[in-house]
């Protein structure tokens, strides 16, 4: 109607436009043309050989069929045209200006919050990003439009981060770790679960089910938080960095197993519901990891990469990586394992290929930085029920549950000594502290388990708020301690380097002075024989 009114107004202002047919006339004319064409085609279609008595063509049926066909084509044509033009019933998506403006402001606040935390407060930037999400998110200000969309973007960033972790795996370093990474991951998951269970059962001895669910929330480790700080400190490719990454990935698998067991606890317990997640996780970790490291890379080197030019190997490998991702994520998810395990295995296949690694970093470095900012602000910040933190009971219980993180810190001292120094001293102590603080940073899976538990009636609303407060503190305090530890030991290393330079300088001056005095003590020039030089 609006288009017709505008057309009439333009025709009045410009008489030359009066020759342009109206939309309705165009529709009728096109309909007649389509009907005529279909009638001609149906009439001219050759019929199979028939007796002489049946030579009369059934034109009435052909005309009727062509009319029906033309009506279907008309409906399809005009319906498609209307949808493309955004007409009534088009199903098109329109973004309001207010939502667009608020989304841009939210992204700006995330960035500014991270910079304030990093530059002014000397804390990890993720702390400021999390608080930006808490303040502007649905649980407080409600300023952010479409919060589910931002959470989805954050989860996409997490998937890309896990892929990068798989690509960055150094097999030589991984051999040094051995089974120690698996052991640290298992102990680092179950020790804080036991501590939190003891705290919960001491608060309410009559509700064992609630205590189990509360303890399960403290098992996961945030790979996103640990990787973010380790990347900034350039420790990902060190033995302790590889150990932390491997343990964090295994921790996420254990978290998914625990979540499935909680699902069985909330519903009917069956043998399949208990065993399937455990068997699936172990199978993907063992068989999938072996295939990704020892079987697929030689096959790709022999049959895949030779089909492309050398300069295109990185792009071809990157495309194949995402094809594997599209297959492995649903495979691991529907097998009751972690879809992050599928992402990790997809990247692990290419851990030996430098071209793919360079291509991935080149293509996704900046994008990954922004997606991880959104991850911390939305996937973590939006989950915090900040209004419930006004209760003294919630704050007290939350601080009490924070003690469960001591179980994470304790596993740091299981790290082997990769350095030439005394055990639990110097750089070995640094590695122990880095591992403990990295493992103590709870992540998105802790919030997922807590939300699942409260939704299924396993824990109360107050207990949920206390657990979330403890998890929130774990995303702030351990990352700050991790960054402080890395900075402290980096400063010690710089100090030792300066001392070594000064010592070498004094040593050189002493040798020069000794040679000068020796030459002065001699009468005239002497031949600098090898024996003299040695003396």
């Amino acid at each position: 109607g609006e288009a017709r009114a505008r057309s009439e107004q333009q025709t009045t202002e410009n008489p030359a436009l009066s020759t342009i047919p109206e939309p309705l006339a165009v529709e009728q004319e096109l309909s007649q043309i389509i009907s005529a064409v279909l009638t001609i085609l149906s009439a001219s279609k050759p019929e199979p050989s028939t007796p002489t008595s049946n030579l009369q063509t059934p034109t009435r049926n052909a005309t009727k069929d062509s009319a029906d066909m033309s009506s279907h084509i008309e409906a399809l044509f005009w319906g498609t045209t209307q949808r493309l033009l955004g007409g009534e019933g088009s199903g098109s998506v329109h973004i309001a200006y207010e939502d667009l403006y608020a989304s841009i402001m939210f992204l700006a606040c995330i960035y500014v919050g991270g910079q304030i935390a990093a530059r002014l407060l000397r804390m990890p930037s993720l702390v400021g990003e999390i608080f930006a999400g808490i303040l502007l998110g649905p649980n407080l200000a409600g300023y952010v439009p479409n919060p589910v969309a931002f959470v989805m973007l954050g989860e996409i960033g997490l998937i890309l981060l896990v892929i990068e972790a798989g690509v960055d795996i150094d097999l030589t370093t991984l051999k040094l770790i051995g089974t120690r990474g698996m052991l640290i991951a298992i102990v680092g998951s179950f020790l804080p679960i036991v501590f939190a269970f003891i705290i919960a059962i001491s608060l309410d001895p009559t509700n064992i089910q609630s205590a189990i669910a509360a303890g399960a929330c403290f098992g996961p480790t945030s790979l996103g938080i640990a990787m973010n700080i380790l990347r900034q400190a350039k420790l990902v490719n060190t033995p302790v960095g590889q150990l932390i990454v491997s343990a964090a990935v295994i921790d996420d698998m254990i978290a998914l197993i625990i979540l499935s067991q909680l699902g069985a606890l909330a519903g009917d317990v069956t043998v399949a519901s208990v065993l399937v997640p455990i068997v699936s996780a172990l199978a993907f970790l063992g068989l999938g990891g072996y295939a990704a490291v020892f079987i697929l890379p030689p096959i790709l080197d022999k049959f895949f990469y030779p089909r492309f030019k050398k300069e295109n190997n990185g792009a071809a490998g990157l495309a194949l990586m995402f094809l594997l991702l599209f297959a492995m994520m649903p495979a691991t998810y529907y097998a009751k394992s972690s879809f992050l395990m599928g992402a990790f295995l997809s990247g692990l296949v290419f851990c030996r290929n430098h071209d793919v690694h360079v291509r991935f970093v080149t293509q996704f470095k900046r994008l990954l930085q922004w997606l991880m900012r959104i991850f911390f602000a939305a996937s973590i910040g939006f989950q915090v029920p900040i209004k419930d933190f006004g209760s003294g009971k919630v704050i007290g219980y939350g601080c009490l549950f924070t003690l469960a993180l001591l179980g994470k810190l304790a596993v740091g001292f299981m790290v082997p000594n990769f350095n030439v120094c005394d055990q639990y001293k110097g750089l070995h102590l640094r590695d122990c502290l880095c591992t403990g603080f990295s493992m103590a940073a709870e992540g998105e899976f802790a919030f997922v388990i807590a939300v699942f538990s409260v939704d299924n009636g396993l824990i109360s609303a107050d207990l949920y708020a206390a657990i979330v407060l403890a998890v929130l503190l774990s995303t702030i305090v351990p990352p700050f301690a991790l960054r402080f530890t890395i900075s402290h030991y980096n400063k010690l290393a710089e100090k030792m380097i300066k001392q070594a330079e000064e010592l070498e300088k004094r040593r050189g001056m002493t040798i020069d002075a000794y040679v000068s005095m020796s030459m002065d003590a001699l009468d005239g020039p002497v031949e600098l024989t090898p024996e003299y030089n040695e003396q």
Side-chain angles (χ1 to χ4, degrees):
E2 294 176 357
R4 187 183 299 275
R6 287 195 299 269
S7 177
E8 292 176 354
Q9 181 179 359
Q10 291 174 357
T11 302
T12 304
E13 295 175 355
N14 189 0
L17 297 177
S18 60
T19 58
I20 299 178
E22 295 184 357
L24 183 59
V26 174
E27 180 178 351
Q28 293 174 351
E29 184 177 356
L30 185 58
S31 174
Q32 294 173 2
I33 293 174
I34 293 175
S35 300
V37 171
L38 291 175
T39 303
I40 294 172
L41 290 175
S42 61
S44 61
K45 181 179 180 181
E47 297 291 337
S49 299
T50 55
T52 306
S53 59
N54 294 332
L55 288 177
Q56 298 294 328
T57 304
T59 56
R60 180 176 302 176
N61 292 336
T63 303
K64 181 177 182 298
D65 293 341
S66 65
D68 293 339
M69 181 63 71
S70 65
S71 64
H72 288 300
I73 294 178
E74 289 176 47
L76 177 63
F77 177 81
W78 289 111
T80 304
T81 304
Q82 192 176 28
R83 285 193 294 272
L84 291 175
L85 295 177
E88 182 179 358
S90 63
S92 57
V93 179
H94 299 282
I95 304 298
Y97 163 76
E98 292 80 6
D99 293 345
L100 183 62
Y101 182 80
S103 299
I104 297 175
M105 285 294 295
F106 176 57
L107 293 176
C109 291
I110 293 175
Y111 180 79
V112 173
Q115 294 301 309
I116 291 175
R119 298 178 183 272
L120 298 182
L121 304 179
R122 299 296 179 182
M123 300 179 70
S125 60
L126 62 91
V127 175
E129 293 158 3
I130 290 174
F131 272 96
I134 293 174
L135 297 176
L136 300 177
N139 288 325
L140 190 60
Y143 179 75
V144 181
N146 304 316
V148 177
F150 283 100
V151 174
M152 183 184 67
L153 289 175
E155 295 299 323
I156 293 175
L158 180 63
I159 292 172
L160 291 177
L161 186 72
V162 174
I163 294 176
E164 185 185 29
V167 175
D168 282 341
I169 286 292
D170 186 352
L171 296 180
T172 304
T173 307
L174 204 59
K175 291 178 182 178
L176 294 175
I177 297 171
T179 58
R180 189 64 66 96
M182 175 78 72
L183 187 61
I184 288 177
I186 295 174
V187 176
S189 284
F190 286 100
L191 201 59
I193 289 175
V194 172
F195 287 177
F197 173 81
I198 294 174
I199 294 173
I201 203 68
S202 63
L203 296 176
D204 187 4
T206 61
N207 198 341
I208 298 179
Q209 192 179 46
S210 177
I212 295 174
C217 297
F218 293 89
T221 296
S222 176
L223 178 62
I225 294 176
M227 275 285 293
N228 191 53
I229 297 177
L230 291 176
R231 275 196 315 163
Q232 294 176 1
K234 298 180 181 180
L235 291 178
V236 175
N237 292 323
T238 62
V240 66
Q242 297 291 295
L243 179 66
I244 293 170
V245 170
S246 303
V249 171
I250 298 172
D251 255 11
D252 285 340
M253 275 197 332
I254 295 175
L256 264 294
I257 295 174
I258 293 172
L259 183 60
S260 64
Q261 302 307 310
L262 288 178
L265 189 65
D268 297 330
V269 179
T270 62
V271 177
S273 64
V274 174
L275 293 181
V276 168
I278 299 176
V279 175
S280 173
L282 294 178
F284 276 110
L285 179 63
L287 300 179
Y290 182 84
V293 173
F294 298 106
I295 297 178
L296 289 178
I299 294 176
L300 295 179
D301 292 338
K302 185 176 181 181
F303 298 104
F304 181 72
Y305 294 118
R307 297 178 179 272
F308 304 94
K309 295 181 180 179
K310 176 63 177 177
E311 58 269 18
N312 295 331
N313 280 351
L318 189 64
L320 183 60
M321 178 196 297
F322 277 92
L323 291 177
L324 287 174
L325 177 69
F326 299 150
M328 290 299 298
M329 280 186 61
T332 50
Y333 175 78
Y334 289 111
K336 306 299 181 182
S337 182
S338 170
F339 64 88
L340 292 179
M341 172 55 68
F344 179 75
L345 292 176
S346 301
L348 187 63
V349 174
F350 302 91
C351 64
R352 296 179 176 179
N353 194 307
H354 179 69
D355 294 333
V356 176
H357 180 270
V358 172
R359 190 79 175 189
F360 182 87
V361 173
T362 304
Q363 294 291 330
F364 293 101
K365 181 179 180 180
R366 295 295 181 187
L367 175 63
L368 186 57
Q369 287 179 350
W370 270 103
L371 289 178
M372 289 311 298
R373 290 186 181 113
I374 297 174
F375 168 77
F376 294 123
S379 298
I380 293 180
F382 288 178
Q383 308 296 331
V384 179
I386 188 68
K387 293 181 179 179
D388 296 335
F389 291 169
S391 171
K393 178 181 177 182
V394 170
I395 295 176
Y397 284 2
C399 295
L400 195 59
F401 274 113
T402 307
L403 298 177
L405 300 177
L406 294 176
K408 295 276 191 181
L409 296 175
V411 299
F413 293 92
M414 297 173 59
V415 175
N417 190 358
F418 300 112
N419 307 282
V420 184
C421 63
D422 295 335
Q423 198 168 12
Y424 305 126
K425 293 182 180 179
L427 294 179
H428 183 228
L429 180 60
R430 181 206 65 176
D431 292 345
C432 294
L433 294 176
C434 287
T435 303
F437 291 138
S438 297
M439 299 290 289
E442 303 284 345
E444 64 286 348
F445 276 114
F447 291 103
V448 170
I449 294 176
V451 171
F452 177 85
S453 300
V454 72
D455 288 343
N456 287 273
L458 297 176
I459 59 176
S460 63
D462 287 343
L463 186 58
Y464 166 75
I467 291 173
V468 170
L469 176 60
V471 173
L472 178 63
L473 292 176
S474 76
T475 62
I476 297 174
V477 179
F480 174 75
L482 174 61
R483 183 170 180 176
F484 175 79
T485 301
I486 294 173
S487 176
H488 174 70
Y489 278 94
N490 285 344
K491 291 178 180 178
L492 286 181
E494 293 175 358
K495 184 178 180 181
M496 292 175 64
I497 291 174
K498 289 182 180 180
Q499 291 177 350
E501 290 176 349
E502 293 177 358
L503 181 62
E504 183 66 21
K505 186 177 180 181
R506 289 199 301 268
R507 178 174 173 272
M509 293 175 61
T510 303
I511 293 176
D512 292 340
Y514 175 75
V515 171
S516 178
M517 288 187 296
S518 299
M519 294 292 292
D520 293 340
L522 296 173
D523 294 329
V526 297
E527 182 181 358
L528 298 178
T529 62
E531 293 80 7
Y532 180 81
N533 288 333
E534 184 178 357
Q535 293 176 1

